[in-house]
Amino acid sequence: MALLGAPLLILLGTLVVALPVATALLWRRTRGNQVLATLQRLVMVAAAQLAAVLLVAAAANDYGYFYGSWSDLVQQLHPTSAVATSHTAGLDPVTTTSAGPTVLQVVHLPMAAWSTPVDYAKVGRLESVTLAGARSQLSSHAFVYLPPQYFQAAYRNTTFPAVEVFTGYPGNDLNLIRRLAYQDHLRAEVKAGRAKPTVLVMMRPSVAYPRDAECSDVPAGPQTETFFAQDVPADITAAYRVRPVGWGAIGDSTGGYCAVKLTLLNSYTFSAGVGLSGYYHTLQDSTTGDLWGGSLELRHLNDLEWRLAHQPQPPVSLLLTSSRGEAGPNGLLDLQKMVSLAHAPLRIDTIVLPHGGHSLSTWSRELSPALDWLSARIGGH
């Protein structure tokens, strides 16, 4: 039974109702001496409570798409595997296995029934692809959204701007489609004339999952910055009518750190980045391991606040968002510090909501203006 979806929720919901009823019916029918009878009753009560806890956890996961499969969940529960230095990435169940280092494979999406060939020129198309990195030797799943204009005769010879879109960690790229609905926000903004048709490449940043590599090139480990900054644009440009430079990046939480980092460190490819409730200093915990090979210098170079204070600032634009409810060191304080360190040619704009938190509902409120801002800075046709 899949971790996501109605079957598991229905099963757990049934148990939540059935187990207390069974406990009440069997309470006086336990057998054995008093100790054994008490033990049986405790087991029945514990089973009913466990079912309720599991239902809440499964419902939260189904809503937020924190874990996409049982294997994702099992891997996350083993901290020792989170610091492995594997150069291959686990693929989502909807993908196919890569056939080579430069092959982009496309499969049809069962969940994209809203878009059939006759509708492509009206609503666009979602494709599920496997991206394989020739330079990094990493591979990952992504959803590619092609806007309606991609299929319209007037745009037949147009090369479109592109944006890399990231979840947080651990995250699931389905979250970008079903909960944040990037494709719907973008289509609405284009229709309203506030944004330009753009190709979205939607991924999770943990391409070496379960390790959280923080979009860094790890010494003797996964080269995740190279994958996102070089391999993904190369694969997408080769497969679609997309511009090779002037890309945008946007993400939430860890994905926000990645989007801003890729923009600051790779201005030859990215011209603008958006951090939705991102943080901008280096992290080290059980999910990351040592990303810097013990080098303080390398850690500094991946600390975005340190870079702004000590390195030349690139000619790119950043939009950083937060809310008054994110008062911790990874929230509003990080945003304010980045703004205080910025100077020309770097440009930083901000959105600070009066209320909200580190959540999908907050990011959903920021998404449309963020896409408008991004579209204006990655160029038109």
Side-chain angles (χ1 to χ4, degrees), residues 126-171:
L126 272 173
E127 294 186 345
S128 177
V129 306
T130 298
L131 300 173
R135 296 173 180 83
S136 66
Q137 296 300 299
L138 293 169
S139 63
S140 181
H141 173 260
F143 289 113
V144 176
Y145 173 67
L146 304 173
Q149 292 77 11
Y150 193 91
F151 304 95
Q152 296 172 5
Y155 291 81
R156 184 181 295 112
N157 299 316
T158 297
T159 54
F160 290 81
V163 172
E164 290 187 18
V165 181
F166 298 105
T167 67
Y169 177 87

Side-chain angles (χ1 to χ4, degrees), residues 2 4 7 11 15 34 74 101 149 155 184 225 244 253 304 324-325 334 344 353 361 381:
L4 293 173
L11 173 61
L15 291 175
Q34 185 175 359
V74 170
Q149 292 77 11
Y155 291 81
D184 295 335
E225 182 190 339
S253 193
L304 306 186
R324 298 296 177 188
D334 250 4
L353 297 180
S361 61
H381 298 304

Side-chain angles (χ1 to χ4, degrees), residues 233-358:
D235 282 359
I236 295 297
T237 302
Y240 301 100
R241 301 196 315 274
V242 166
R243 298 173 185 174
V245 295
W247 279 46
I250 183 173
D252 58 76
S253 193
T254 298
Y257 167 81
C258 285
V260 172
K261 177 178 180 176
L262 290 170
T263 304
L264 286 175
L265 274 62
N266 302 276
S267 58
Y268 53 86
T269 299
F270 297 90
S271 59
V274 179
L276 304 174
S277 298
Y279 51 86
Y280 309 109
H281 53 268
T282 53
L283 297 182
Q284 183 169 337
D285 56 29
S286 62
T287 66
T288 66
D290 180 8
L291 298 174
W292 329 116
S295 168
L296 181 59
E297 178 183 6
L298 189 56
R299 180 166 186 163
H300 281 330
L301 291 173
N302 284 273
D303 187 308
L304 306 186
E305 293 167 355
W306 187 94
R307 289 188 71 97
L308 293 194
H310 297 91
Q311 297 283 307
Q313 298 191 9
V316 297
S317 297
L318 301 176
L319 174 64
L320 310 182
T321 80
S322 188
S323 67
R324 298 296 177 188
E326 297 183 87
N330 293 341
L332 187 56
L333 292 179
D334 250 4
L335 180 152
Q336 293 169 338
K337 187 170 183 179
M338 287 285 284
V339 171
S340 71
L341 293 169
H343 60 73
L346 176 65
R347 169 74 182 267
I348 295 184
D349 296 312
T350 64
I351 296 175
V352 178
L353 297 180
H355 57 84
H358 202 78

